Amino acid sequence: MLNFYPGPSKVYPEVRTYLVDAYDEGILNTPHRGEQFVQMSRTVVNSIKRKLNIPQDYYIFFASSATECWEILTQSLTRHKSYHIYNGSFGEKWFEYAQKLRPASEGFKFDINEPMPVSDLQISSDTELICFTQNETSNGTQVSPTTILNLHNRFRDTLIAVDATSSMAGLNLKLIKADIWFASVQKCFGLPPGLAVMACSPRSIFRAKKMAERDHYNSLVPMYEKMLNYQTTHTPNELNIYLLKRMLEDRPFIKGIEQHLTDRAQDLYTFFEQFADFKPLIENEEVRSKTVITLVGNDKLVEDAKKRALHHNIRLGNGYGIWARNTFRIANFPAIEDEEYEELKRFFLHYYA
């Protein structure tokens, strides 16, 4: 099965070997307070920073999912409200989740074919956290590095948090331009679901200490205190952390990965422009995602393409949210090989050219 679903997506084929090695090395039953885990955690943290170009003074944390990170940040970094900028389902879900915990939280929705309108944002001085999704998996848009820089420059006194679930480990993100970045590993990391990586700036940890919120299972201050010794507040997903360690050891630096994905994304967008029945949902090339290609067409034809592809052992991603029926999505993640995309092209040329 060729899997182009945008998460959980294809895992690196080496994961099969890693799993056997984890069993042989005793990872599956090692104490999470023991030296073996601590050494592994330390190695992973150092590799994440080195391979993904994360500032050395940022702190790395493990959680179960990006959704858990939403909760951690709302509980531990806001007393009153956050401000959410979104153009798709996942950014909106983050906003709605924050409102349940902090009802005063505010949101700003912008168009999928427009860059984030930084100059139009009216964010009050009592806002404690600005939140947005760098790569919106639901519709295939992205927020560019230039836009993130503009947001950082305009609101540099306010903490900024970024959901990078479908771009971290695929794009060379400039983490210094925001305070918190997080992602689940079932997309660009090429690993099974059940683990998230979160990177926090020194000033976000300073805010967390000042708030001193310790009332929850996943409060940030206890997480920080435990990670000073490369441990977690909870029994961690040791297997996935081990898989993360091995994956990082075998992968090139993020700059090379980003270039490959960028070139492949451009090739895919160019390829699909020749079809009359399927077009990119995002018309503005400036805001098109490099890691999730979303194509729009007639409802029946989209459903036909998904079913026909599945019959040929090709799994396309369903549409999401308001685009559920008339779009399908193609993951452009590092674990998927170039030849698999060539097979995908041959399928579409055969049936829809």
Side-chain angles (χ1 to χ4, degrees), residues 137-166:
T137 317
S138 69
N139 56 31
T141 58
Q142 69 169 4
V143 179
S144 71
T146 300
T147 299
I148 297 174
L149 174 62
N150 292 339
L151 186 71
H152 166 79
N153 288 339
R154 186 173 177 204
F155 302 103
R156 60 174 64 244
D157 293 332
T158 306
L159 293 179
I160 298 176
V162 186
D163 185 333
T165 291
S166 54

mmCIF file of all heavy atoms in Angstrom, residues 137-166:
data_model
loop_
_atom_site.group_PDB
_atom_site.id
_atom_site.type_symbol
_atom_site.label_atom_id
_atom_site.label_comp_id
_atom_site.label_asym_id
_atom_site.label_seq_id
_atom_site.Cartn_x
_atom_site.Cartn_y
_atom_site.Cartn_z
ATOM 1 N N THR A 137 -3.028 21.480 8.068
ATOM 2 C CA THR A 137 -3.197 20.176 7.427
ATOM 3 C C THR A 137 -4.552 20.032 6.760
ATOM 4 O O THR A 137 -4.702 19.280 5.794
ATOM 5 C CB THR A 137 -3.014 19.052 8.459
ATOM 6 O OG1 THR A 137 -1.887 19.344 9.289
ATOM 7 C CG2 THR A 137 -2.785 17.717 7.791
ATOM 8 N N SER A 138 -5.562 20.727 7.240
ATOM 9 C CA SER A 138 -6.918 20.540 6.722
ATOM 10 C C SER A 138 -7.098 21.075 5.307
ATOM 11 O O SER A 138 -7.923 20.562 4.552
ATOM 12 C CB SER A 138 -7.935 21.201 7.661
ATOM 13 O OG SER A 138 -7.821 22.614 7.622
ATOM 14 N N ASN A 139 -6.325 22.101 4.939
ATOM 15 C CA ASN A 139 -6.547 22.714 3.626
ATOM 16 C C ASN A 139 -5.285 22.904 2.782
ATOM 17 O O ASN A 139 -5.367 23.333 1.638
ATOM 18 C CB ASN A 139 -7.270 24.059 3.772
ATOM 19 C CG ASN A 139 -6.534 25.026 4.688
ATOM 20 O OD1 ASN A 139 -5.319 25.009 4.790
ATOM 21 N ND2 ASN A 139 -7.289 25.887 5.367
ATOM 22 N N GLY A 140 -4.114 22.594 3.345
ATOM 23 C CA GLY A 140 -2.892 22.705 2.564
ATOM 24 C C GLY A 140 -2.367 24.116 2.411
ATOM 25 O O GLY A 140 -1.882 24.495 1.339
ATOM 26 N N THR A 141 -2.445 24.918 3.491
ATOM 27 C CA THR A 141 -1.857 26.260 3.480
ATOM 28 C C THR A 141 -0.680 26.301 4.453
ATOM 29 O O THR A 141 -0.537 25.435 5.318
ATOM 30 C CB THR A 141 -2.874 27.337 3.891
ATOM 31 O OG1 THR A 141 -3.384 27.030 5.193
ATOM 32 C CG2 THR A 141 -4.014 27.407 2.896
ATOM 33 N N GLN A 142 0.141 27.338 4.299
ATOM 34 C CA GLN A 142 1.238 27.523 5.236
ATOM 35 C C GLN A 142 1.424 29.010 5.528
ATOM 36 O O GLN A 142 1.040 29.862 4.729
ATOM 37 C CB GLN A 142 2.540 26.949 4.691
ATOM 38 C CG GLN A 142 3.117 27.724 3.507
ATOM 39 C CD GLN A 142 4.532 27.309 3.163
ATOM 40 O OE1 GLN A 142 5.090 26.402 3.746
ATOM 41 N NE2 GLN A 142 5.129 28.001 2.204
ATOM 42 N N VAL A 143 2.010 29.292 6.689
ATOM 43 C CA VAL A 143 2.409 30.647 7.061
ATOM 44 C C VAL A 143 3.903 30.761 6.786
ATOM 45 O O VAL A 143 4.703 29.978 7.319
ATOM 46 C CB VAL A 143 2.094 30.940 8.536
ATOM 47 C CG1 VAL A 143 2.544 32.351 8.909
ATOM 48 C CG2 VAL A 143 0.606 30.761 8.813
ATOM 49 N N SER A 144 4.293 31.701 5.960
ATOM 50 C CA SER A 144 5.675 31.802 5.496
ATOM 51 C C SER A 144 6.605 32.316 6.601
ATOM 52 O O SER A 144 6.164 32.972 7.545
ATOM 53 C CB SER A 144 5.752 32.749 4.300
ATOM 54 O OG SER A 144 5.546 34.099 4.721
ATOM 55 N N PRO A 145 7.913 32.040 6.474
ATOM 56 C CA PRO A 145 8.885 32.576 7.435
ATOM 57 C C PRO A 145 8.848 34.101 7.535
ATOM 58 O O PRO A 145 9.011 34.655 8.620
ATOM 59 C CB PRO A 145 10.226 32.086 6.882
ATOM 60 C CG PRO A 145 9.897 30.864 6.098
ATOM 61 C CD PRO A 145 8.546 31.136 5.502
ATOM 62 N N THR A 146 8.611 34.784 6.414
ATOM 63 C CA THR A 146 8.543 36.251 6.425
ATOM 64 C C THR A 146 7.361 36.730 7.259
ATOM 65 O O THR A 146 7.478 37.695 8.038
ATOM 66 C CB THR A 146 8.424 36.790 4.993
ATOM 67 O OG1 THR A 146 9.569 36.373 4.239
ATOM 68 C CG2 THR A 146 8.332 38.301 4.988
ATOM 69 N N THR A 147 6.211 36.069 7.105
ATOM 70 C CA THR A 147 5.038 36.440 7.890
ATOM 71 C C THR A 147 5.273 36.211 9.376
ATOM 72 O O THR A 147 4.883 37.039 10.213
ATOM 73 C CB THR A 147 3.810 35.637 7.415
ATOM 74 O OG1 THR A 147 3.557 35.939 6.041
ATOM 75 C CG2 THR A 147 2.578 35.985 8.236
ATOM 76 N N ILE A 148 5.905 35.091 9.714
ATOM 77 C CA ILE A 148 6.204 34.805 11.123
ATOM 78 C C ILE A 148 7.145 35.860 11.683
ATOM 79 O O ILE A 148 6.982 36.322 12.820
ATOM 80 C CB ILE A 148 6.800 33.391 11.269
ATOM 81 C CG1 ILE A 148 5.775 32.341 10.827
ATOM 82 C CG2 ILE A 148 7.231 33.128 12.716
ATOM 83 C CD1 ILE A 148 6.311 30.926 10.784
ATOM 84 N N LEU A 149 8.125 36.273 10.883
ATOM 85 C CA LEU A 149 9.042 37.332 11.306
ATOM 86 C C LEU A 149 8.289 38.634 11.554
ATOM 87 O O LEU A 149 8.523 39.330 12.553
ATOM 88 C CB LEU A 149 10.124 37.529 10.252
ATOM 89 C CG LEU A 149 11.093 38.696 10.481
ATOM 90 C CD1 LEU A 149 11.872 38.492 11.783
ATOM 91 C CD2 LEU A 149 12.043 38.846 9.298
ATOM 92 N N ASN A 150 7.360 38.975 10.659
ATOM 93 C CA ASN A 150 6.572 40.208 10.826
ATOM 94 C C ASN A 150 5.723 40.149 12.089
ATOM 95 O O ASN A 150 5.585 41.150 12.812
ATOM 96 C CB ASN A 150 5.674 40.427 9.604
ATOM 97 C CG ASN A 150 6.464 40.755 8.350
ATOM 98 O OD1 ASN A 150 7.609 41.200 8.426
ATOM 99 N ND2 ASN A 150 5.864 40.532 7.186
ATOM 100 N N LEU A 151 5.139 38.986 12.361
ATOM 101 C CA LEU A 151 4.340 38.815 13.577
ATOM 102 C C LEU A 151 5.217 38.973 14.810
ATOM 103 O O LEU A 151 4.843 39.646 15.778
ATOM 104 C CB LEU A 151 3.673 37.434 13.554
ATOM 105 C CG LEU A 151 2.677 37.141 14.685
ATOM 106 C CD1 LEU A 151 1.403 37.968 14.494
ATOM 107 C CD2 LEU A 151 2.325 35.650 14.720
ATOM 108 N N HIS A 152 6.382 38.368 14.766
ATOM 109 C CA HIS A 152 7.339 38.461 15.877
ATOM 110 C C HIS A 152 7.750 39.914 16.121
ATOM 111 O O HIS A 152 7.796 40.380 17.268
ATOM 112 C CB HIS A 152 8.563 37.602 15.548
ATOM 113 C CG HIS A 152 9.753 37.856 16.418
ATOM 114 N ND1 HIS A 152 9.877 37.346 17.691
ATOM 115 C CD2 HIS A 152 10.874 38.579 16.194
ATOM 116 C CE1 HIS A 152 11.023 37.727 18.206
ATOM 117 N NE2 HIS A 152 11.652 38.490 17.325
ATOM 118 N N ASN A 153 8.028 40.643 15.056
ATOM 119 C CA ASN A 153 8.487 42.031 15.195
ATOM 120 C C ASN A 153 7.382 42.946 15.723
ATOM 121 O O ASN A 153 7.650 43.879 16.482
ATOM 122 C CB ASN A 153 8.995 42.553 13.855
ATOM 123 C CG ASN A 153 10.318 41.936 13.456
ATOM 124 O OD1 ASN A 153 11.049 41.422 14.310
ATOM 125 N ND2 ASN A 153 10.634 41.962 12.180
ATOM 126 N N ARG A 154 6.133 42.685 15.319
ATOM 127 C CA ARG A 154 5.050 43.556 15.740
ATOM 128 C C ARG A 154 4.612 43.278 17.170
ATOM 129 O O ARG A 154 4.221 44.197 17.898
ATOM 130 C CB ARG A 154 3.856 43.392 14.787
ATOM 131 C CG ARG A 154 2.754 44.390 15.116
ATOM 132 C CD ARG A 154 1.611 44.416 14.143
ATOM 133 N NE ARG A 154 0.618 45.366 14.646
ATOM 134 C CZ ARG A 154 -0.665 45.338 14.353
ATOM 135 N NH1 ARG A 154 -1.138 44.414 13.540
ATOM 136 N NH2 ARG A 154 -1.500 46.226 14.859
ATOM 137 N N PHE A 155 4.671 42.024 17.601
ATOM 138 C CA PHE A 155 4.179 41.665 18.935
ATOM 139 C C PHE A 155 5.275 40.990 19.754
ATOM 140 O O PHE A 155 5.052 39.978 20.410
ATOM 141 C CB PHE A 155 2.961 40.743 18.811
ATOM 142 C CG PHE A 155 1.817 41.334 18.036
ATOM 143 C CD1 PHE A 155 1.566 40.949 16.725
ATOM 144 C CD2 PHE A 155 0.999 42.305 18.611
ATOM 145 C CE1 PHE A 155 0.513 41.493 16.007
ATOM 146 C CE2 PHE A 155 -0.056 42.867 17.894
ATOM 147 C CZ PHE A 155 -0.294 42.461 16.590
ATOM 148 N N ARG A 156 6.457 41.570 19.740
ATOM 149 C CA ARG A 156 7.608 40.908 20.351
ATOM 150 C C ARG A 156 7.501 40.805 21.872
ATOM 151 O O ARG A 156 8.237 40.040 22.488
ATOM 152 C CB ARG A 156 8.908 41.581 19.944
ATOM 153 C CG ARG A 156 9.057 43.021 20.314
ATOM 154 C CD ARG A 156 10.468 43.513 19.960
ATOM 155 N NE ARG A 156 10.748 43.488 18.535
ATOM 156 C CZ ARG A 156 11.682 42.706 17.988
ATOM 157 N NH1 ARG A 156 12.378 41.867 18.734
ATOM 158 N NH2 ARG A 156 11.905 42.752 16.678
ATOM 159 N N ASP A 157 6.597 41.556 22.493
ATOM 160 C CA ASP A 157 6.438 41.460 23.944
ATOM 161 C C ASP A 157 5.479 40.360 24.370
ATOM 162 O O ASP A 157 5.319 40.091 25.565
ATOM 163 C CB ASP A 157 5.945 42.799 24.514
ATOM 164 C CG ASP A 157 6.983 43.907 24.374
ATOM 165 O OD1 ASP A 157 8.187 43.569 24.353
ATOM 166 O OD2 ASP A 157 6.588 45.081 24.273
ATOM 167 N N THR A 158 4.812 39.729 23.403
ATOM 168 C CA THR A 158 3.837 38.682 23.704
ATOM 169 C C THR A 158 4.376 37.329 23.260
ATOM 170 O O THR A 158 4.963 37.211 22.174
ATOM 171 C CB THR A 158 2.499 38.955 22.976
ATOM 172 O OG1 THR A 158 2.053 40.274 23.297
ATOM 173 C CG2 THR A 158 1.437 37.949 23.397
ATOM 174 N N LEU A 159 4.176 36.306 24.086
ATOM 175 C CA LEU A 159 4.606 34.964 23.714
ATOM 176 C C LEU A 159 3.842 34.487 22.483
ATOM 177 O O LEU A 159 2.647 34.741 22.328
ATOM 178 C CB LEU A 159 4.354 33.989 24.860
ATOM 179 C CG LEU A 159 5.171 34.157 26.151
ATOM 180 C CD1 LEU A 159 4.762 33.100 27.170
ATOM 181 C CD2 LEU A 159 6.668 34.067 25.857
ATOM 182 N N ILE A 160 4.539 33.785 21.595
ATOM 183 C CA ILE A 160 3.933 33.245 20.380
ATOM 184 C C ILE A 160 4.119 31.731 20.371
ATOM 185 O O ILE A 160 5.235 31.230 20.565
ATOM 186 C CB ILE A 160 4.565 33.855 19.119
ATOM 187 C CG1 ILE A 160 4.315 35.375 19.088
ATOM 188 C CG2 ILE A 160 4.025 33.199 17.855
ATOM 189 C CD1 ILE A 160 4.998 36.083 17.922
ATOM 190 N N ALA A 161 3.021 31.003 20.144
ATOM 191 C CA ALA A 161 3.051 29.540 20.081
ATOM 192 C C ALA A 161 2.624 29.080 18.691
ATOM 193 O O ALA A 161 1.674 29.617 18.114
ATOM 194 C CB ALA A 161 2.130 28.936 21.138
ATOM 195 N N VAL A 162 3.327 28.076 18.153
ATOM 196 C CA VAL A 162 3.096 27.613 16.789
ATOM 197 C C VAL A 162 2.867 26.108 16.768
ATOM 198 O O VAL A 162 3.709 25.337 17.239
ATOM 199 C CB VAL A 162 4.296 27.948 15.876
ATOM 200 C CG1 VAL A 162 3.981 27.588 14.434
ATOM 201 C CG2 VAL A 162 4.694 29.407 16.008
ATOM 202 N N ASP A 163 1.729 25.706 16.209
ATOM 203 C CA ASP A 163 1.474 24.296 15.923
ATOM 204 C C ASP A 163 2.126 23.982 14.583
ATOM 205 O O ASP A 163 1.710 24.489 13.547
ATOM 206 C CB ASP A 163 -0.036 24.042 15.880
ATOM 207 C CG ASP A 163 -0.385 22.566 15.708
ATOM 208 O OD1 ASP A 163 0.430 21.821 15.139
ATOM 209 O OD2 ASP A 163 -1.498 22.175 16.131
ATOM 210 N N ALA A 164 3.177 23.164 14.618
ATOM 211 C CA ALA A 164 3.923 22.819 13.400
ATOM 212 C C ALA A 164 3.804 21.326 13.107
ATOM 213 O O ALA A 164 4.750 20.696 12.620
ATOM 214 C CB ALA A 164 5.385 23.225 13.552
ATOM 215 N N THR A 165 2.617 20.773 13.378
ATOM 216 C CA THR A 165 2.450 19.325 13.323
ATOM 217 C C THR A 165 2.787 18.729 11.962
ATOM 218 O O THR A 165 3.395 17.667 11.890
ATOM 219 C CB THR A 165 1.011 18.945 13.728
ATOM 220 O OG1 THR A 165 0.866 19.215 15.127
ATOM 221 C CG2 THR A 165 0.736 17.484 13.496
ATOM 222 N N SER A 166 2.397 19.367 10.874
ATOM 223 C CA SER A 166 2.691 18.768 9.569
ATOM 224 C C SER A 166 3.844 19.447 8.853
ATOM 225 O O SER A 166 3.953 19.359 7.622
ATOM 226 C CB SER A 166 1.438 18.752 8.687
ATOM 227 O OG SER A 166 0.875 20.034 8.576
#
